[in-house]
């Protein structure tokens, strides 16, 4: 027995740590088939070695420095098995064991949610379902702050009507006696059905109308359809409380409040009484001195995941999460997720479509990038064993009423840049070399390229020809002095003659910028020229902040040059943007004798697509792509027209 125990001990000392690999099946734009698998590695190693089971043996696929690996063009509705090891120097330090994932055909009737455009809402059913009726509550305010909540009802969770007052200022704001007596405001309201009492419970972050000195929560309760009993505003157990979330477990009946306290320094986790209208006890304090905001909690397969945003005013900031199997803890250390700027958003609320969790990152673009609206970027979250991730996809396609396979992440093309050769302005020092911006590492602050001077250039040799569809720039940023890049992107077939493919000289977005490419020429080199870096807070030049964390180039490898560089274009009669009602759009081309073909499913049009004859009716949010075709060949650049129809509610 002793010998055996020793042997086991010896083996376990030598064995690598286990590596949790998260997996997501996804589609390439236009294919509507989730026949590609993304592997996401959750612990650091210098190199990941990826292999796939074929027959009885694992076949080597690649070595990569990136936290993710994409396996493309698989069969659909088939299960694949992988093994990933992490290697530091010559030692295998991590081992995933066998990890399996199935590709799938998504549900039908998919709607397109394009993250490269400024949608302000994600179309899921909302409201609380009680006896076949969905209830929702709308916050009404005026210049004196909170006026009332009114109730609306729906039979399908999408179309709501009604105007019944269920809470009003007189009662709700009565406790405010100083600064703005009798006037208040409520933020981050939650309405949830308590399965124990069968009543709808309301919580909100409660403040006087003028400032944030109260730091209170308020609570109320109602039978569905009735007016609420307002139960008061208070500091939970005496602690100040600002951003918070109410988590109610519909299965177990447990309720919790997670709330920022110590003037947003820490987060307290409280359990609620079984009616969810009172604080029971303080379970634990997490994220101590992390200054996190916007908490959202989900429970999946026995793990609680708490997603939070870093406080950075309106600017995009780093998201992270902690996880635990017990709300009292122990909780994991904070883990980075997404990229350093959460794809140009702040971590927001998590919504659900069927069995998929969707992070809805808030982009307060009107407050930092002169954008028309506050918008939301949607990213499906992959969760397993206490680990979570969400990646940037150009779009997600979804059917909000499907129970399963109702969500598919859509990548605009294959990742072409990771690990490729770079020719750039010399690096400022050996620890910030140019290669660090194509290594696929997007969540490590110190892992970035610093040029020795500004202006600077950064050229990636894709090592093969490809039609480039999207280029994402993730810059370095010094928090508190957020900066944006004035830059252009050009491309070349021979590395000598470059053609402009994206003009970002008017860019005002710090952190993460997506550029879609309309040029259908197959190129081999992609070049970024940064002419200036500007401090978003004061408009001054900020070249001291120069640095690129990552450049990601997506596209379709193409050995043949699909289209010679052309000056011909297709034009739309209606500009990209948000519209409040239906309209018709006319297409035209200056390539004489050519026919226009178009798509609305994110694919690049071909002769098999819709032939343009009459003006196209746009009745819902639409991604319209069009090309001119002559003698079976595309003879124009790609038109990308993005229209959002804003609904009334
Ligand atoms: C492997 O290297 C990575 C990156 O250098 C490091 O963070 C990690 O701790 C190392 N792992 C082990 C087990 O040494
Ligand atoms: C992949 O990495 C392993 C470990 O460093 C090495 O032994 C192997 O040669 C590499 N394979 C390729 C194709 O680079
Ligand atoms: C939202 O989805 C529902 C269900 O598929 C659909 O009926 C409705 O038209 C959609 N709304 C918008 C604004 O697209
Ligand atoms: C809802 O009712 C309020 C009065 O309670 C009224 O001022 C408002 O116009 C109504 N709104 C609608 C959309 O009916
Ligand atoms: C909720 O439950 C607590 C604890 O049992 C109780 O003190 C409180 O009165 C209840 N509140 C309501 C509104 O029923
Ligand atoms: C959660 O942790 C608390 C405090 O340590 C403990 O009392 C409780 O039993 C735990 N719950 C479960 C389900 O393990
Ligand atoms: C790198 O780019 C610079 C600037 O465009 C160019 O002068 C140089 O020849 C390039 N070097 C290589 C090896 O391609
Ligand atoms: C690069 O990093 C190493 C290890 O952290 C450090 O010892 C060295 O001083 C750094 N070099 C420069 C030029 O900063
Ligand atoms: C960006 O840089 C270019 C080249 O230096 C300059 O002409 C242009 O005015 C700059 N754009 C903005 C918005 O400042
Ligand atoms: C076609 O129209 C575009 C956009 O107006 C213009 O830039 C381009 O020069 C025109 N091409 C030709 C060949 O006239």
């Amino acid at each position: 027995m002793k010998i055996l125990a020793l042997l086991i001990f010896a083996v376990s000392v030598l064995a690598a740590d286990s590596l949790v690999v998260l997996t997501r099946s996804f589609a390439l734009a236009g294919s509507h088939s989730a026949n590609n698998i993304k592997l996401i590695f959750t612990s650091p190693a210098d190199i990941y070695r990826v292999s796939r089971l074929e027959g009885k043996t694992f076949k080597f696929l690649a070595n990569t420095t990136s936290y993710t690996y994409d396996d493309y063009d698989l069969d659909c509705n088939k299960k694949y098995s992988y093994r990933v090891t992490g290697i530091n120097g010559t030692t295998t330090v991590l081992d995933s064991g066998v990890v399996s994932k199935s590709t799938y055909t998504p549900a039908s009737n998919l709607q397109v949610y394009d993250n490269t455009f400024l949608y302000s809402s994600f179309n899921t059913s909302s409201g609380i379902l009680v006896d076949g009726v969905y209830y929702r509550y709308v916050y009404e305010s005026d210049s004196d702050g909170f006026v009332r909540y009114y109730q609306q009802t729906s039979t399908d969770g999408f179309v709501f009507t009604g105007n019944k007052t269920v809470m009003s200022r007189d009662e709700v704001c009565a406790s405010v006696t100083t600064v703005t007596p009798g006037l208040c405001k409520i933020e981050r309201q939650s309405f949830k059905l308590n399965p124990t009492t069968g009543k709808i419970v309301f919580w909100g972050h409660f403040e006087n109308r003028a400032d944030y000195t109260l730091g209170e929560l308020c609570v109320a309760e109602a039978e569905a359809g009735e007016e609420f009993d307002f139960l008061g505003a208070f500091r939970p157990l005496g602690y100040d409380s600002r951003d918070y979330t109410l988590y109610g477990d519909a299965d177990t009946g447990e309720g919790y409040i997670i709330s920022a306290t110590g003037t947003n320094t820490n987060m307290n986790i409280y359990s609620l009484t079984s009616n969810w209208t009172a604080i029971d006890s303080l379970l634990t304090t997490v994220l101590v001195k992390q200054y996190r905001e916007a908490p959202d909690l989900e429970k999946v397969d026995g793990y609680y995941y708490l997603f939070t945003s870093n406080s950075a005013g309106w600017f995009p900031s780093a998201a992270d999460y902690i996880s635990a199997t017990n709300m009292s803890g122990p909780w994991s250390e904070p883990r980075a997720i997404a990229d350093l700027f959460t794809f140009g958003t702040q971590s927001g609320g998590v919504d659900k479509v069927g069995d998929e969790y969707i992070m809805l990152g808030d982009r307060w673009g009107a407050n930092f990038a002169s954008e028309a609206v506050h918008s939301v970027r949607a990213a499906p979250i992959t969760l397993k064993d206490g680990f979570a991730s969400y990646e940037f996809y150009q779009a997600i396609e979804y059917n909000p009423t499907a129970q399963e396979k109702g969500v598919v992440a859509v990548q605009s093309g294959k990742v072409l840049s990771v690990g490729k050769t770079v020719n750039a302005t010399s690096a400022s020092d050996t620890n910030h070399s140019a290669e660090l911006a194509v290594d696929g590492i997007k969540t490590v602050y110190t892992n970035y390229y610093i040029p020795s001077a500004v202006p600077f250039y950064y050229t990636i040799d894709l090592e093969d020809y490809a039609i480039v569809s999207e280029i994402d720039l993730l810059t370095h940023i010094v928090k508190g002095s957020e900066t944006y890049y004035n830059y252009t992107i050009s491309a070349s077939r021979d590395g000598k003659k470059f053609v402009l493919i994206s003009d970002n000289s008017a860019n005002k977005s710090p952190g993460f910028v997506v550029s879609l490419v309309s040029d259908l020429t197959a190129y081999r080199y992609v070049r970024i020229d940064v002419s200036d870096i500007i401090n978003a807070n004061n408009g001054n030049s900020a070249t001291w902040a120069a640095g690129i964390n990552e450049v990601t180039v997506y596209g379709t490898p193409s050995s043949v040059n699909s289209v010679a560089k052309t000056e011909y274009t297709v034009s739309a009669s209606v500009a990209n943007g948000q519209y409040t009602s239906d309209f018709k759009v006319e297409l035209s081309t200056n390539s004489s004798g050519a026919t226009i073909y178009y798509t609305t499913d994110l694919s690049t049009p071909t002769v098999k697509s819709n032939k343009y004859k009459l003006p196209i009716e746009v009745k819902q949010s639409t991604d319209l792509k069009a090309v001119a075709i002559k003698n079976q060949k595309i003879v124009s650049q790609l038109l990308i027209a993005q229209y959002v129809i804003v609904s009334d509610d």
Side-chain angles (χ1 to χ4, degrees):
M1 279 303 272
K2 262 186 183 153
I3 291 166
L4 190 62
L6 264 176
L7 258 175
I8 290 167
F9 180 69
V11 168
S12 67
V13 162
L14 292 175
D17 289 344
S18 72
L19 170 67
V20 173
V21 175
L22 303 172
T23 54
R24 171 161 296 277
S25 306
F26 66 99
L28 294 175
S31 86
H32 313 297
S33 172
N35 67 327
N36 310 282
I37 293 176
K38 193 180 287 288
L39 307 176
I40 301 135
F41 319 133
T42 57
S43 312
D46 292 343
I47 299 255
Y48 301 95
R49 190 181 157 83
V50 184
S51 50
R52 186 176 68 206
L53 190 62
E54 291 198 352
K56 286 189 171 146
T57 55
F58 278 95
K59 186 182 151 234
F60 171 79
L61 292 180
N63 285 336
T64 182
T65 54
S66 177
Y67 288 180
T68 63
Y69 177 79
D70 288 357
D71 197 13
Y72 300 111
D73 303 323
L74 301 167
D75 291 337
C76 211
N77 301 309
K78 190 173 157 184
K79 184 168 156 186
Y80 290 86
S81 296
Y82 299 87
R83 182 175 172 196
V84 183
T85 52
I87 296 155
N88 282 5
T90 54
T91 313
T92 299
V93 292
L94 299 170
D95 191 342
S96 70
V98 181
V99 177
S100 298
K101 184 69 178 174
S102 295
T103 54
Y104 65 94
T105 303
S108 53
N109 299 322
L110 297 175
Q111 302 179 25
V112 176
Y113 191 93
D114 187 335
N115 283 315
T116 66
F117 204 54
L118 305 176
Y119 289 78
S120 51
S121 64
F122 183 72
N123 184 26
T124 47
S125 70
S126 60
I128 298 167
L129 182 61
V130 180
D131 295 336
V133 178
Y134 291 84
Y135 296 87
R136 78 171 183 195
Y137 302 95
V138 184
Y139 182 85
E140 191 177 288
S141 62
D142 64 13
S143 58
D144 281 336
F146 174 73
V147 173
R148 63 171 186 143
Y149 276 107
Y150 62 91
Q151 172 191 283
Q152 297 197 309
T153 57
S154 167
T155 52
D156 66 359
F158 290 95
V159 180
F160 283 83
T161 55
N163 186 9
K164 172 178 172 167
T165 300
V166 290
M167 271 187 264
S168 54
R169 175 184 287 159
D170 288 353
E171 185 182 24
V172 171
C173 301
S175 66
V176 180
T177 52
T178 58
V179 189
T180 60
L183 301 178
C184 65
K185 61 176 176 273
I186 296 167
E187 296 182 352
R188 297 183 73 84
Q189 64 258 13
S190 319
F191 290 87
K192 288 209 158 92
L193 181 67
N194 179 309
T196 311
T197 60
K199 291 185 176 178
I200 294 174
V201 177
F202 156 83
W203 286 82
H205 168 197
F206 186 87
E207 297 286 354
N208 71 51
R209 184 190 59 78
D211 61 31
Y212 286 88
T213 51
L214 287 178
E216 293 181 343
L217 288 168
C218 59
V219 61
E221 178 187 60
E223 297 282 355
E226 303 298 321
E227 288 181 24
F228 278 76
D229 291 328
F230 188 72
L231 301 169
F234 53 87
R235 289 188 163 197
L237 307 179
Y239 295 95
D240 69 303
S241 169
R242 291 186 170 81
D243 268 14
Y244 82 99
T245 189
L246 164 67
Y247 178 74
D249 190 324
D251 300 325
T252 63
E254 295 159 2
Y256 303 93
I257 292 276
I258 299 103
S259 108
T261 191
T263 321
N264 295 326
T265 310
N266 314 315
M267 292 251 177
N268 276 350
I269 300 182
Y270 306 96
S271 59
L272 299 178
T273 53
S274 63
N275 54 20
W276 297 356
T277 63
I279 302 286
D280 181 44
S281 66
L282 174 63
L283 294 181
T284 183
T285 301
V286 295
L287 297 166
V288 173
K289 293 197 183 144
Q290 299 287 313
Y291 303 95
R292 309 299 299 180
E293 297 182 328
D296 198 286
L297 186 93
E298 300 298 334
K299 185 184 184 187
V300 183
D301 296 336
Y303 281 89
Y304 297 97
Y305 297 86
L306 179 63
F307 298 94
T308 59
S309 142
N310 191 6
S311 58
W314 302 109
F315 287 103
S317 67
D320 67 23
Y321 73 98
I322 56 176
S323 67
T325 51
N326 184 325
M327 287 292 278
S328 301
W331 286 85
S332 71
E333 77 286 5
R335 296 186 184 129
I337 195 165
D339 68 22
L340 290 169
F341 300 98
T342 318
F343 314 127
T345 72
Q346 298 187 346
S347 183
V350 177
D351 213 332
K352 241 190 133 182
V353 175
D355 49 11
E356 290 271 13
Y357 294 84
I358 315 282
M359 166 55 66
L360 300 175
D362 288 308
R363 181 172 171 85
W364 310 103
N367 299 70
F368 67 79
S370 312
E371 288 169 2
V373 289
H374 159 227
S375 60
V376 164
R377 282 185 169 148
I381 311 175
T382 311
L383 304 128
K384 193 174 83 178
D385 297 347
F387 289 87
S389 87
Y390 51 90
E391 311 306 314
F392 185 75
Y393 291 96
Q394 185 203 342
I396 71 172
E397 294 182 341
Y398 67 113
N399 177 334
T401 60
Q403 289 310 303
E404 55 175 18
K405 298 177 184 166
V407 174
V408 59
V410 181
Q411 196 163 288
S412 81
K414 298 180 179 178
V415 174
L416 304 174
S417 46
V418 168
K420 295 295 161 63
T421 310
V422 175
N423 174 24
T425 298
S426 63
S428 71
D429 68 82
T430 50
N431 288 345
H432 295 94
S433 64
E435 288 68 34
L436 297 179
V438 285
D439 61 3
I441 299 172
K442 302 179 185 178
T443 54
V444 180
Y445 268 102
T446 51
N447 186 279
Y448 65 105
Y449 155 65
I450 308 181
S452 54
V454 180
F456 68 98
Y457 67 91
Y458 192 89
T459 307
I460 305 169
D461 178 357
L462 304 176
E463 295 169 15
D464 204 348
Y465 295 102
I467 298 167
V468 173
S469 51
E470 177 185 327
I471 298 157
D472 299 349
L473 177 66
L474 178 68
T475 72
H476 173 60
I477 284 191
V478 181
K479 201 188 147 201
S481 298
E482 287 80 1
T483 57
Y484 56 82
Y485 279 45
N486 175 342
Y487 69 106
T488 56
I489 308 174
S490 50
S492 168
R493 286 180 61 79
D494 60 8
K496 297 188 180 78
K497 188 171 166 287
F498 280 82
V499 173
L500 183 73
I501 57 169
S502 180
D503 183 356
N504 297 62
S505 59
N507 171 50
K508 289 276 172 70
S509 295
F512 175 84
V513 183
V514 185
S515 303
L516 296 183
V517 177
S518 288
D519 188 332
L520 294 171
T521 309
Y523 290 113
R524 176 169 162 178
Y525 300 86
V526 171
R527 172 175 168 133
I528 292 179
D529 281 280
V530 178
S531 62
D532 204 0
I533 299 166
I534 296 112
N535 185 330
N537 295 292
N538 57 22
N540 294 340
S541 184
T543 55
W544 43 265
I548 299 180
N549 206 286
E550 190 75 6
V551 178
T552 312
V553 179
Y554 299 89
T556 308
S558 173
S559 52
V560 288
N561 188 11
S562 62
V563 60
K565 171 63 191 169
T566 173
E567 291 302 318
Y568 295 116
T569 58
V570 176
S571 308
S573 61
V574 180
N576 287 5
Q578 293 203 338
Y579 296 88
T580 49
S581 57
D582 304 2
F583 58 87
K584 286 184 180 176
V585 57
E586 288 175 41
L587 302 180
S588 58
T589 177
N590 57 9
S591 171
S592 66
T595 305
I596 297 171
Y597 290 84
Y598 70 94
T599 63
T600 55
D601 66 354
L602 297 174
S603 65
T604 300
T606 67
V607 281
K608 290 183 185 136
S609 306
N610 306 299
K611 192 186 218 169
Y612 174 75
K613 291 179 196 133
L614 295 169
I616 302 161
E617 283 191 67
V618 177
K619 291 182 171 172
Q620 59 191 37
S621 299
T622 300
D623 264 275
L624 182 64
K625 289 187 174 182
V627 293
I629 293 185
K630 209 163 155 177
N631 301 328
Q632 308 279 317
K633 287 177 88 168
I634 296 176
V635 293
S636 73
Q637 297 188 22
L638 177 69
L639 169 76
I640 306 175
Q642 297 175 310
Y643 303 118
V644 174
I645 303 288
V646 185
S647 57
D648 297 340
D649 48 61

